[in-house]
Amino acid sequence: MTTTTTGTTVANAVGTAHTRVEGRDKVTGAARYAGEVPFAELAYGWLVLSTITRGRVRSVESAAVLEMPGVLAVLHHGNAPRVDTDYIGMLGMPPDPTIAVFQHDRVPHAGWPVALVVAETSEQAREAAEALVVRYEEEPHDVVFTGEHPEASAGAGPAGPGVTGKGDLEAELAGSAVVLDAEYTTPEEHHSSMEPHAATALWEGGRLEVVDSNQGTVWVASELASLFSLDPASVRVRSEHVGGGFGSKGVRAHQVAAVMAATVLSRPVRVVMTRRQTFSLAGYRSPTTQRIRLGADAEGRLRALEHRCLSLTSTVHEFIESGAGPARVMYDAPAHHTANRVVRLDVPSPTFMRAPGEAPGSFALESALDELAEKCGLDPIELRLRNEPERGPVSGLPFSTRNLPACFREGARRFGWADRDPRPGVRREGRWLIGTGTAAASFFAGAAPSTAAVTAEADGTFTVRISAADIGTGARTALTLVAADALRVPAGRVRVRIGDSDFGPAVIAGGSMGTRSWSWAVTAAADELRERLALGDGIPPEGVTVRSDTTEAVGALAQKERHSFGAQFAEVAVDVSTGEVRVRRMLGVFAAGRIVNPLTARGQFTGGMIWGISMALHEEAVRDRNTGALYGADLAGYHVATNADVPLVEADWVDDPDPDDPVGIKGIGEIGIVGAAAAIANAVWHATGVRHRSLPIRPDRVLMAGLHV
């Protein structure tokens, strides 16, 4: 309970379940997404992508297309506006040159944008785009990803340095009682957001306006201003409702093409990617090949840990899938070596995808820990508890909190782990072999500077304005609860407005930093406003507004290892005749800071776990080495978990507030998927006696590997 400045008692909003404040609008269709907002004189653009993998555009034969009904323009490298990519963007990274569409005749990968056809209707634009003839000069390409590619090199990314190391690895391995040396692989995976990537651009009153589906309006506005050499104040980006992003909805080719066309035609232009186009233009998770070497003493305590991860990137942009990152947090050893390496191929650029680095990295690391436990004759949970580090294994910094043991203890109790027969392949129900598995999870809990404005309105309500993005996570609702508690008023008196770059700088929705960073800014503004109102003589008609900026406060945070943690548990059934794997139940218990809204938080956790099921059993994009393109670049060919694949999935949490955060928040958006695939893979081993070190665990792979029971 909280006491207001007038002495009234108000129940705390944070920590209690609240339905989404925009829920009714979404289920009734009143909530409009980027591709649905109407504009007068709206024209439609349709992207034309290359049909070769590497080479040059010899000609774009647009004359016939320009004569087709409704066609307004065909933009390509010969006539498109010029853009500038010589700048540093988000997280200190240069922009992916893929966004600089139609600037040259080079084709560096299949599905490269070579033209935009603009017409009066979407149907006319599509018909004309499909009729456009583009001639190429084709060159040899290389799209084959292998673990031993000769041109691989160490790569540093936002997650840290490419290589870390301490201790004599070979000596510690030689002196270990138990040694594991294994290779694990994960395939190319795609985001597949429910809402497609869509943007509408127009010039109004000398300003560039973009209505977009993105994970950060300020981010997109800043990048567009840099690309088109505009005053940042002259660019406004709005993104009120977003139907999923998962790392893919930053600056992409469709926004830049829409701005170009709006500039050329002096009218609004909308460009929406098709589902197939997203497989080329929206980024994806790189495949990985990971080698893990572990050495332990007779009691299972690690003496040596090596985790090496190889991923791919395009020839035009370097993005590192930091799969070796989890080892830098989870387990320590006297000899501790990690490396993230990358190879450049003639493929589209990968990008951030839910739990980048941690998701594939935890599959390898947590599978390896399970194998080590078997070799040591230890329970998998006991092995992990014996190797709990006191400080960051690489950084040497203290942990802000590390309640992973509590997650395992509570998870084991609820899952019935103590009743498990550790022997593989002994539990059977008819044609089904039954097994259980577990895995640990972690994800970085960061905070980034943000600004927010809170206004006390004359009618007694409060309006919060912040350039946050609700990509389906319930952020709008969480911020309402945070603001209500900070203002010491009921949640019904708070309105939160988000998704507008004019509201000022704020961190993107990504890296599990959004709600934490935004809540910090909202709390700071609300606290100051409440104090000002306590000293004032009432509220004028225009209201009283306070604006916050957390740059100084975030910068003053002590250096610590800040992470959310979790323990994943899975039970699977494996059909001995068909090789089919069914997940029968899952449980995740998390230590992820103070939970703002249990209702939407549980949805975030279970959503990540369901994605883990999909990652473990279904998701796999396969590239044709001859054409360089993907087989089945759609949701018919690229399989994801559906309702029939999703069993009883439960998520809960232990008390774990971050003492250095004003609200106690850490972050929950990514942690749910981390460890989930490893828990399932470990359960498959327990069911069958056979290890699967490559995802997905398809029926054919199960049958080919056999059943050692």
Side-chain angles (χ1 to χ4, degrees), residues 123-428:
E123 293 79 8
Q124 290 170 334
R126 176 175 185 170
E127 182 180 6
E130 292 175 349
L132 183 67
V133 175
V134 180
R135 302 195 185 279
Y136 302 95
E137 180 181 316
E138 196 165 0
E139 300 172 3
H141 61 259
D142 180 8
V143 299
V144 179
F145 177 72
T146 66
E148 301 299 328
H149 200 286
E151 297 181 9
S153 60
V163 177
T164 67
K166 65 179 181 181
D168 189 331
L169 184 68
E170 300 303 330
E172 292 292 345
L173 285 169
S176 295
V178 180
V179 174
L180 172 75
D181 186 344
E183 183 175 278
Y184 304 85
T185 67
T186 61
E188 180 178 324
E189 299 165 354
H190 286 258
H191 304 77
S192 301
S193 304
M194 185 176 294
E195 179 202 12
H197 294 62
T200 303
L202 66 152
W203 288 91
E204 189 169 320
R207 296 188 79 194
L208 173 63
E209 299 259 357
V210 177
V211 175
D212 185 29
S213 177
N214 63 56
Q215 294 179 232
T217 55
V218 174
W219 171 26
V220 174
S222 174
E223 298 264 345
L224 291 176
S226 297
L227 280 167
F228 289 93
S229 302
L230 300 172
D231 179 352
S234 69
V235 181
R236 182 189 187 191
V237 176
R238 290 181 289 138
S239 185
E240 185 175 0
H241 296 288
V242 181
F246 312 116
S248 72
K249 285 186 175 173
V251 181
R252 299 286 169 200
H254 68 295
Q255 295 131 314
V256 179
V259 173
M260 287 180 172
T263 302
V264 169
L265 296 173
S266 299
R267 62 185 288 185
V269 176
R270 174 170 294 158
V271 180
V272 180
M273 287 192 202
T274 67
R275 178 65 65 188
R276 291 185 66 86
Q277 288 174 348
T278 64
F279 280 82
S280 298
L281 298 179
Y284 56 95
R285 196 193 307 279
S286 166
T288 68
T289 296
Q290 302 177 60
R291 185 186 182 190
I292 293 185
R293 292 197 291 171
L294 302 175
D297 63 21
E299 285 74 42
R301 290 181 175 84
L302 289 170
R303 294 185 56 175
L305 186 157
E306 181 187 36
H307 190 167
R308 300 171 61 190
C309 178
L310 177 67
S311 61
L312 60 74
T313 192
S314 70
T315 59
V316 297
H317 181 64
E318 181 172 280
F319 181 87
I320 310 298
E321 186 70 28
S322 302
R328 300 174 182 180
V329 175
M330 295 302 294
Y331 309 106
D332 202 357
H336 191 288
H337 291 247
T338 68
N340 289 308
R341 299 184 305 137
V342 68
V343 60
R344 293 180 177 273
L345 297 174
D346 301 313
V347 295
S349 301
T351 192
F352 301 98
M353 184 167 163
R354 196 172 195 174
E358 276 82 357
S362 70
F363 163 67
L365 182 64
E366 292 299 311
S367 296
L369 261 289
D370 205 72
E371 295 197 47
L372 184 67
E374 179 196 358
K375 284 176 171 284
C376 291
L378 289 173
D379 178 87
I381 295 177
E382 177 59 29
L383 178 78
R384 289 170 171 83
L385 295 180
R386 290 187 186 186
N387 286 284
E388 270 291 285
E390 295 183 359
R391 305 176 75 86
V394 172
S395 70
L397 295 172
F399 290 95
S400 60
T401 62
R402 185 181 170 109
N403 288 337
L404 179 58
C407 295
F408 270 118
R409 285 192 294 269
E410 176 62 13
R413 182 191 67 81
R414 291 183 51 170
F415 197 73
W417 189 261
D419 299 328
R420 177 184 192 256
D421 187 330
R423 295 174 299 164
V426 299
R427 184 177 167 196
R428 184 162 182 163

Side-chain angles (χ1 to χ4, degrees), residues 661-677:
D661 183 87
V663 187
I665 297 171
K666 282 188 175 179
I668 63 174
E670 327 272 349
I671 188 73
I673 190 177
V674 182

Side-chain angles (χ1 to χ4, degrees), residues 423-490:
R423 295 174 299 164
V426 299
R427 184 177 167 196
R428 184 162 182 163
E429 297 177 6
R431 72 177 193 272
W432 298 95
L433 293 169
I434 312 301
T436 53
T438 190
S442 73
F443 195 83
F444 171 67
S450 295
T451 64
V454 182
T455 300
E457 308 289 359
D459 63 0
T461 63
F462 296 84
T463 302
V464 177
R465 293 176 176 85
I466 184 168
S467 296
D470 190 336
I471 59 175
T473 58
R476 185 188 272 101
T477 306
L479 293 177
T480 299
L481 306 185
V482 168
D485 277 5
L487 293 165
R488 299 178 185 174
V489 301

